[in-house]
Each structure stands twice: as C-alpha cells, then as structure tokens.
Amino acid sequence: MDISGLFVKSQRGPNLIFYVLFIGITLILLNLKILFLRHYLRTPKLNLDDTNISTSDVVQRAERSNPNVPFVLWNRMDPRDFRANTSCALYVTPLEISFNNLYWQVQQTVDANLYFFGAYYDMRPSNGPVVRILATVDSRQAEKKSLFCQIWYEVETTPSFGQVSFHYLGDENWVGKDVRMQPYMLTCKLPANGEIPKSVSIVADRCDNATNNLKVIYNQLPREEKKKGFAVCAKTLFFENRDLPTRLVQWIEMLRILGASNISFYTFQVGEVVKRVLNYYQDTGFAISFPITMPGSIVNVPELLKIYLRKHQREREAQQLIHYNDCLYRNMDLYDYIVPLDVEELIVPVSTNSWHELFALKTISDASNKSSVFLTKNVMYHFEEKNASNDSLRDIPHLRNEERNVTAELKSFQNTKKVVLMREQEPKECFGACEMYVFRPEDARLWRYKRGLSSEANVTTDKTLWKFKHELIESTNKVLKNVGFNP
C-alpha cells in the first residue's frame, strides 16, 4: 500500500496551522504597536533636553514668581557694560543678589542690615519724581547714616546717584519694644531727565558694589483709560480653613457689590482651600495674591510662625505696614482710593447702595478734591453667631444675625493723589496736611464681625446690609460652586 500521499497530506496540515498562527500573532502584534503609538502620541512627554528652552522663557517665569527683581532688564543687557567705572557701582544681576527668605533682598552696612521688599516710581511730588523703597531694618541706627541709591535705566550704561531719605512707617512707641524689624520707606530723588528708571540699588557709599537690585514698579494707566474708583488692600492672610471658603467668598462678593474693582491679598502660609478661592479670583482678574515671608532670621516655619506672630503682635503690625504701602504704590496710578480692610470688616453705605453713590453725595463730592482720607469713625459691629435662626442664610454669615455691639473704631478710604505713607486706619503722611472727612453715621458705617459678644455688650439691631441680601446669596453660591464647594 502506497502511503506517500497520506504522508504529504499529513505534512500540509501542520504547515497550514503554523501559517494561520503566524499571521494571527503578527496581526495582534501590529494592533498592539498601533495602540502603543496612538497612546504615545497623545501622552505629553517629559523633555529632558532643555536646549530648546529660551533664556527669555526662564526670565518671564522667574519674574512672575518674584516681581520685585529686574529679570527682564538683565535679559536685554550685557551686565559687564553697566557700571560707573571698572571698580565703582557694578550692576547687580539677579544671580548676584543676596536674597533672604525668597522675597527680600539684603544689604549689610556697618550699622544695620537692610531688607528690601519693593521699589516704586512716584511722579506725584511737586518738586519732581522719586523712587520709593520699602524696607525693614534691624537697627534704627541706619537712619542716622548716609545711604545712597544707584539708579539704573534701560539705555544708559552708567547709573545716576542720589542720597536716601528715611521715613519711619511705624509708631514711635514701638522703638525697642518687641519689634526686631523696623519698617521704613526710603526715598531717592531722581535726576531731571524725564526717564523712568528700571531698577535701583541701595548702598552705604555711592561707589559700593551692591548686593541688592530692585525692579522699579510703575503700573501706569493706559492713555485711553481713566482711573477706577476703589481698590481694597486686604490685611495679611494667615489662618486655618475652619470657616472658609464661605466667609472669604462672601466678604469678597460683598466688596464687589459695594463697588470695589480689585483686591490685593498678601498671604503667609495658607491652606489649599484658601488658595483655591484666591486662584479663582486671580484668574477672573478681580484679585491679585502675593505670597510673603518674614524678613531676617525670624522663623518662617508655618506652625512656629503662627505662634511667633501671636506672641509678637507689633512685629506683625510692622510687616503689615510694608504690605499696605506696597499695595498703595502698586495701585496709586490705577485707582482713586485705596481701602485697607481686614477680612472681617466692611464699610457699608447707609443712605446709598454703593461706594460710588456714597462719594457722589454733594457734601462728600465737594470734599473729595482736598481731603486725603475719608473716615468711618462712628461704630463697629461685633458679630454674634448663636442666635442664627434663618436656614436660608446659614451660609451667609454677614446676614444671619441682627445683633451688633456698638463701639468706636476707624477705617478709611485713602486718596491716592495725596497719601504718601499709608496705615491701616488713617495715613501717617500726606502731601501737605492729611485733611480728613468723617462720614456721618447716616451715610456710612463700619461693620466688623466677631465670633461672640461679651456679656457687657451694648446690643442694637441693624439690617442695613439686608438690602443686598439676594444679590449676595446668589453671587456667593455661584462662586462656591465654581471653586468646587457645594453651598
């Protein structure tokens, strides 16, 4: 029997199975490869090669994180060409600045260490423009010595020089009383060349090589625009998330309703909840947030700093003066009035419905050109929570209780044409006398919220803020939803 045909048939079977398996596996591998390539192309890749990152990009990122450093000027120039001569007043690049706690620049002198926060162009003085520098100093002996400013321009390769004048921001009663870092405004007269400087350094001798170089901030109003009415400078934020975001959001929304155009926040270490709220308002353009630290060797560890500031209230107040005046000088060319407020405070118009309407009243309008400050010095309201009974208002603390404690307190609108040195309640220095207009209680009142009333509290009833009730509830709930919180 010839079995060769059977043998051939038996060989074809395995060959066919092999080819079918081979083609199947190939198709599977091909599909896997296609899937991998699709995923790879859609997935952002980490570029470990930084040769494509331009210096300009790096500089712009750095300037956003530290706006007091002249990064852009550094990027446009060759630092070796900027000096008075080969050994005098060399230009200090950002890589050569002596930094302290991220946001401060340091210059050591024989008598004191100076910590600089910011520099600002001020064209308001009648005898010509100046540069003003905010600083804290660890010894008041510094103001008894001569200091010089080296003023740098974009085009000129040699600096101009000026002598520094000292203006103490604090209360004279603070001296030697628990304030390690004394707050100052330093002023340098500018030459009459009409140019706006780009940066400034402070030194003990005019030819010294500085270890500081501050960008000169000038937020100029565009020609086609007019100044807006009111900018709020919020008291420095440093607290837990206990009642937030509701309290913070409803305070901001109430300020928007009253007529504020912008709020500046200065933040020590705050929680993620607070950051989400501030980021939301910063993205919308209604607020700007500046991270801050304490200068010098003062502890900046969050838990320890909180304890330190509670024990050293004057130290905190001294730094608050730096932040308030930074807010003034960043906004003075953009807004008519600066309003320094704590997040527990509101200046509430009584006879009108907004700050704009309040200032349109004839008696106040007539005083607006000559007055440096408009004061509310009539009442302060302490908030009492325990009597809240209206469920529809449970998430709006400013509305859910009618009882208030009446005491004396000051808060103000400060005129940006006239105020030189700002304080929380009223200016310390103005161009000429600090003339004041005091609101009548029937026109405007200060509301300040506290967690409880003392047993001796003088209780009254006031529903002035309720005229904004529906608008405030609606806008607050809308923002809370946008930032991811269910009201």
Side-chain angles (χ1 to χ4, degrees), residues 108-170:
Q108 294 181 333
T109 69
V110 174
D111 300 289
N113 294 316
L114 295 91
Y115 299 85
F116 304 109
F117 186 79
Y120 318 87
Y121 177 74
D122 186 358
M123 60 181 298
R124 299 174 300 167
S126 58
N127 60 345
V130 297
V131 168
R132 302 192 191 274
I133 301 99
L134 284 170
T136 59
V137 181
D138 60 9
S139 171
R140 291 202 64 183
Q141 293 300 314
E143 66 180 276
K144 300 177 182 179
K145 305 294 183 180
S146 294
L147 292 180
F148 295 87
C149 37
Q150 301 167 347
I151 305 165
W152 299 94
Y153 298 87
E154 187 166 13
V155 177
E156 299 176 16
T157 58
T158 58
S160 63
F161 299 94
Q163 193 159 0
V164 172
S165 60
F166 282 80
H167 307 266
Y168 186 51
L169 294 175

Side-chain angles (χ1 to χ4, degrees), residues 107-344:
Q107 185 72 32
Q108 294 181 333
T109 69
V110 174
D111 300 289
N113 294 316
L114 295 91
Y115 299 85
F116 304 109
F117 186 79
Y120 318 87
Y121 177 74
D122 186 358
M123 60 181 298
R124 299 174 300 167
S126 58
N127 60 345
V130 297
V131 168
R132 302 192 191 274
I133 301 99
L134 284 170
T136 59
V137 181
D138 60 9
S139 171
R140 291 202 64 183
Q141 293 300 314
E143 66 180 276
K144 300 177 182 179
K145 305 294 183 180
S146 294
L147 292 180
F148 295 87
C149 37
Q150 301 167 347
I151 305 165
W152 299 94
Y153 298 87
E154 187 166 13
V155 177
E156 299 176 16
T157 58
T158 58
S160 63
F161 299 94
Q163 193 159 0
V164 172
S165 60
F166 282 80
H167 307 266
Y168 186 51
L169 294 175
D171 189 320
E172 292 296 335
N173 294 327
W174 289 357
V175 180
K177 293 185 178 181
D178 199 29
V179 181
R180 291 163 59 183
M181 295 295 176
Q182 300 285 348
Y184 282 92
M185 178 75 80
L186 312 183
T187 301
C188 298
K189 186 77 171 64
L190 294 176
N193 57 14
E195 292 185 52
I196 300 172
K198 291 299 180 181
S199 71
V200 60
S201 299
I202 305 297
V203 290
D205 184 85
R206 55 184 287 149
C207 265
D208 283 352
N209 293 323
T211 58
N212 67 92
N213 193 358
L214 294 149
K215 174 185 174 182
V216 176
I217 296 169
Y218 179 36
N219 293 328
Q220 189 175 13
L221 189 72
R223 289 184 179 180
E224 65 278 6
E225 294 185 16
K226 293 183 178 180
K227 274 188 174 185
K228 296 180 180 178
F230 308 96
V232 171
C233 298
K235 191 170 183 177
T236 308
L237 294 187
F238 188 13
F239 43 59
E240 304 291 340
N241 293 334
R242 288 175 301 176
D243 299 318
L244 297 173
T246 300
R247 285 182 178 274
L248 184 58
V249 170
Q250 58 86 32
W251 181 74
I252 295 173
E253 288 304 306
M254 193 65 246
L255 288 174
R256 188 200 296 274
I257 293 170
L258 292 176
S261 296
N262 185 266
I263 306 173
S264 294
F265 291 97
Y266 295 79
T267 61
F268 286 120
Q269 300 90 347
V270 294
E272 290 302 318
V273 174
V274 178
K275 289 180 183 178
R276 285 169 62 183
V277 172
L278 296 182
N279 288 340
Y280 168 82
Y281 282 105
Q282 189 155 286
D283 290 342
T284 64
F286 187 65
I288 184 168
S289 178
F290 299 96
I292 54 172
T293 58
M294 294 292 284
S297 59
I298 295 177
V299 61
N300 275 282
V301 177
E303 294 78 10
L304 298 179
L305 178 58
K306 186 173 183 179
I307 297 171
Y308 179 86
L309 292 179
R310 283 178 177 174
K311 291 180 175 291
H312 301 84
Q313 183 63 31
R314 284 195 180 94
E315 199 78 64
R316 182 172 182 171
E317 292 170 359
Q319 295 309 307
Q320 182 69 64
L321 291 171
I322 296 291
H323 307 149
Y324 278 144
N325 282 278
D326 177 78
C327 183
L328 167 66
Y329 279 88
R330 286 179 182 276
N331 291 297
M332 64 183 178
D333 295 304
L334 306 176
Y335 300 93
D336 292 318
Y337 295 96
I338 302 296
V339 191
L341 290 173
D342 197 340
V343 294
E344 296 177 340

